[in-house]
């Protein structure tokens, strides 16, 4: 095997926004920098163009990017076997020249292929083993500060070929990302940027989750965009705001784009975002289960004040047939387009009463949910994806953590806590038990009755981080609520028909079983008779 030592001189100069990436200012080749016959040493001069203006560890206030001791640069070359070989160079004091504007690199290459592929990536942490840029980090790890972005994710790369079996003399690095500087107002023209706890930007299947707080402007690096629609969600603890840009949008690499947007509050929404299908569509949940009150007819719709709130067997679900003023219902038969069965508010225990096409609860005029047609009922496929298929963050060592069976408030309310796609557990709050996360067991042998416990105060912190709670509000048949089931057993209607008399519901059972033979349901999607009264939890947006 032949070994060749390659030395490279890398120059970095951040150009102010609007400048070009010309190479007129590149350092000239100096005497003695030609390849040496003994060890085939060559010198590479590169120009790196970055944009920025604020002062951080790696940016001067005049916008110049500098190299620092400990910075790493990746060089990947193609060998004679056709493989890409990556090496990382860690900069020492002696490598850094001209106050950090230049840096000298030295690697040892084995059997480089003549005119083979070459990739140079700065910083090296953004380089895959084959030298390609690893974009996954920019989806989930940005914090909105220019310091973090400039030091870790403001990636520049060179894609070229070896000059024979050596590095080319000049290989200018080019920024790979568009740099966005967000300032955000609400509908009332008040600046809320510094109150935002999470910013989510979606362009097709590219979704960027930026965890941030107390910033006057938010810096985000994204892949360049030539056209298309962009969704922007801004979470302010429990509140969620949205902006959809439907015009052709262009965001170029190697430029800073100030983005001043006005976002609209989604009335009645929780702040967490969830992937609902394989296409990557995002959804959010309503802040409580759906309820309706009888006045002159069933038309006073609202969401429960708290996510863990439900009626159970209190007067309401048990008085549907009496229809006196103030009667409140939150367990519904399946909603159809039959004139006598809109929204499933019906005392009948016959499936025939609930036959017909589905009539979505989201059509209702929900007074604390923004009005009519602002919500929709999730499908069985969406619930399946939410519970068992979507990607999630790692919580307490469990990857793709999606839900935990839990009780809130000293065994008062049982149900499911759903973790949003990019969930950050509150500091100093105990982690969900790893044995409870994604646990859907339903027999003693499988660990039935396994759940986590949280005080109300602890839950409120999780709610502010975007978690959703679906209480076990019981089941209803006619005017009777299964007393032993509420607080332990849940059923949530979907918009999907199973077959004939049956529809799909999402449900779980938190009871401790006396024996493994007692009938019980694991967490999952189950068929239920149309007449069974179940809870309804709506999702948005409606244009999916």
């Amino acid at each position: 095997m032949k070994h060749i030592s390659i030395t490279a001189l890398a120059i970095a100069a951040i150009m102010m926004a609007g400048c070009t990436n010309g190479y007129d200012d590149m350092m000239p080749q100096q005497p003695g920098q030609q390849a040496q016959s003994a060890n085939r040493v060559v010198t590479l001069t590169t120009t790196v163009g970055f944009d920025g203006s604020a002062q951080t560890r790696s940016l001067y206030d005049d916008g110049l990017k500098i190299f620092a001791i400990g910075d790493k640069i990746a060089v990947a070359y193609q060998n004679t076997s056709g493989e890409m070989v990556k090496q990382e160079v860690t900069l020492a004091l002696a490598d850094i020249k001209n106050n950090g504007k230049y840096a000298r690199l030295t690697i040892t290459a084995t059997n480089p292929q003549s005119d083979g592929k070459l990739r140079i990536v700065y910083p090296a942490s953004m380089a895959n083993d084959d030298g390609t840029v690893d974009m996954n980090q920019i989806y989930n790890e940005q914090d909105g500060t220019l310091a973090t972005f400039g030091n870790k994710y403001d990636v520049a790369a060179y894609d070229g070929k070896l000059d024979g079996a050596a590095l080319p003399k000049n290989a200018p690095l080019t920024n790979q990302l568009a740099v966005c500087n967000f300032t955000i107002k609400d509908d009332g023209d008040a600046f809320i940027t510094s109150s935002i706890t999470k910013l989510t930007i979606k362009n097709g299947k590219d979704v960027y989750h930026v965890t941030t707080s107390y910033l006057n402007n938010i810096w985000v690096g994204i892949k360049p965009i030539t056209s298309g629609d962009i969704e922007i969600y801004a979470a302010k603890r429990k509140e969620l705001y949205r902006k959809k840009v439907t015009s052709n949008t262009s965001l170029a690499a190697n430029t800073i784009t100030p983005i001043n947007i006005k976002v609209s509050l989604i009335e009645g929404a929780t702040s967490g975002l969830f992937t609902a299908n394989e296409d990557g569509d995002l959804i959010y949940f309503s802040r409580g289960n759906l309820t309706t009150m009888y006045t002159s007819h069933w038309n006073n719709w609202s969401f429960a004040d708290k996510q863990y709130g439900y009626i159970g067997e209190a007067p309401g679900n048990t008085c549907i047939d009496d229809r006196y003023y103030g009667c409140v219902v939150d367990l519904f038969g399946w909603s159809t387009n039959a004139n006598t069965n809109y929204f499933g508010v019906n005392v009948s225990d016959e499936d025939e009463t609930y036959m017909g096409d589905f009539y979505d609860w989201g059509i209702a005029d929900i007074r604390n949910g923004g009005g009519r047609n602002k919500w929709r009922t999730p499908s069985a496929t969406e619930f399946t994806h939410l519970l068992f298929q979507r990607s999630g963050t790692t919580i307490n060592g469990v990857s793709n953590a999606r839900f935990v069976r839990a009780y809130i408030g000293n065994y008062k309310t049982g149900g499911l806590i759903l973790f949003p796609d990019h969930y950050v557990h509150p500091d100093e709050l105990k982690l969900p038990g790893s044995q409870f996360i994604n646990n859907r067991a339903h027999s003693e042998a499988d660990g039935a009755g396994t759940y986590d416990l949280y005080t109300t105060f602890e839950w409120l912190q999780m709610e502010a981080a975007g978690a959703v709670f679906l209480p076990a509000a019981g089941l209803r048949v006619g005017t009777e609520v299964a007393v032993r089931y509420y607080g332990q057993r849940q059923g949530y209607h979907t918009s999907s028909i199973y077959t004939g008399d049956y529809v799909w519901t999402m449900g779980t059972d938190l009871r401790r079983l006396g024996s493994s033979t007692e009938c019980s349901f694991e967490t999952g999607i189950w068929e239920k008779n149309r007449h069974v009264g179940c809870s309804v939890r709506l999702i948005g947006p409606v244009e999916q």
Side-chain angles (χ1 to χ4, degrees), residues 235-271:
K236 182 181 170 184
R237 292 182 63 80
K238 293 195 301 183
E239 296 178 337
L240 186 64
Y241 296 79
R242 184 176 186 237
K243 173 72 172 181
K244 187 171 184 179
V245 182
T246 56
S247 59
N248 288 337
T249 302
S250 178
L251 293 172
N254 200 37
T255 60
I256 290 178
T257 303
I259 300 179
N260 305 310
I261 59 170
K262 182 180 289 188
V263 293
S264 298
L265 176 67
I266 305 172
E267 188 176 355
T270 59
S271 61

Side-chain angles (χ1 to χ4, degrees), residues 138-140 142 144 178-182 184 196 198-212 218-223 225 229-235 240-241 243 245 249 251 257 259 261 263 273 280 282:
I138 68 172
Y139 294 132
N140 297 319
Q142 298 185 66
V179 185
C180 303
N181 185 6
F182 284 91
I184 303 171
I196 298 302
K198 186 168 294 180
L199 184 67
T200 302
I201 304 159
K202 185 177 186 300
N203 177 42
K205 290 192 174 184
D206 292 325
V207 182
Y208 308 87
H209 299 279
V210 183
T211 301
T212 179
I218 301 173
W219 295 83
V220 184
I222 67 175
K223 292 181 182 179
I225 299 173
D229 297 343
I230 300 176
E231 291 179 77
I232 299 172
Y233 290 94
L240 186 64
Y241 296 79
K243 173 72 172 181
V245 182
T249 302
L251 293 172
T257 303
I259 300 179
I261 59 170
V263 293
L273 294 170
L282 296 178

Side-chain angles (χ1 to χ4, degrees), residues 6-13 21-34 41-49 67 73 75 97-98 101-106 118 120 157-158 161 163 166-174:
I6 301 176
T7 299
L9 179 65
I11 303 172
N21 275 339
Y23 308 128
D24 297 337
D25 296 330
M26 292 168 55
M27 292 183 63
Q29 194 77 4
Q30 301 296 323
Q33 290 183 335
Q34 292 85 3
V41 175
V42 298
T43 299
L44 167 66
T45 302
T46 66
T47 298
V48 183
F67 288 109
I73 300 177
V75 180
K97 309 298 179 183
N98 198 0
K101 294 180 181 179
Y102 317 120
R104 187 174 300 277
L105 312 178
T106 301
L118 173 67
I120 302 175
Y158 170 77
K161 292 184 177 182
D163 185 4
L167 294 176
K169 294 179 180 180
N170 299 311
L173 301 173
T174 304

Side-chain angles (χ1 to χ4, degrees), residues 10 23 52 84 237-238 284 296 320 413 435:
Y23 308 128
M84 294 296 291
R237 292 182 63 80
K238 293 195 301 183
Y284 47 83
S296 58
I320 296 175
T413 306
Q435 71 272 36

Side-chain angles (χ1 to χ4, degrees), residues 1-4 6 75-87 107-119 129-130 160-162 164-167:
M1 304 280 285
K2 77 180 172 182
H3 297 269
I4 300 173
I6 301 176
V75 180
Y77 64 90
Q78 189 176 28
N79 64 19
T80 53
S81 298
E83 301 172 336
M84 294 296 291
V85 180
K86 185 185 78 171
Q87 291 191 23
I107 67 169
T108 300
T110 302
N111 292 331
Q113 178 176 305
S114 180
D115 298 329
K117 295 179 182 178
L118 173 67
R119 295 276 304 185
D129 289 341
D130 62 357
K161 292 184 177 182
L162 294 169
L167 294 176

Side-chain angles (χ1 to χ4, degrees), residues 423-432 453-455 457-463 465:
Y423 177 73
V424 178
H425 198 64
D427 293 338
E428 301 180 359
L429 182 63
K430 71 174 184 178
L431 287 166
L453 296 172
Y454 292 95
T455 66
F457 176 74
E458 289 172 333
W459 157 247
L460 291 176
Q461 294 180 70
M462 297 175 70
E463 181 182 38

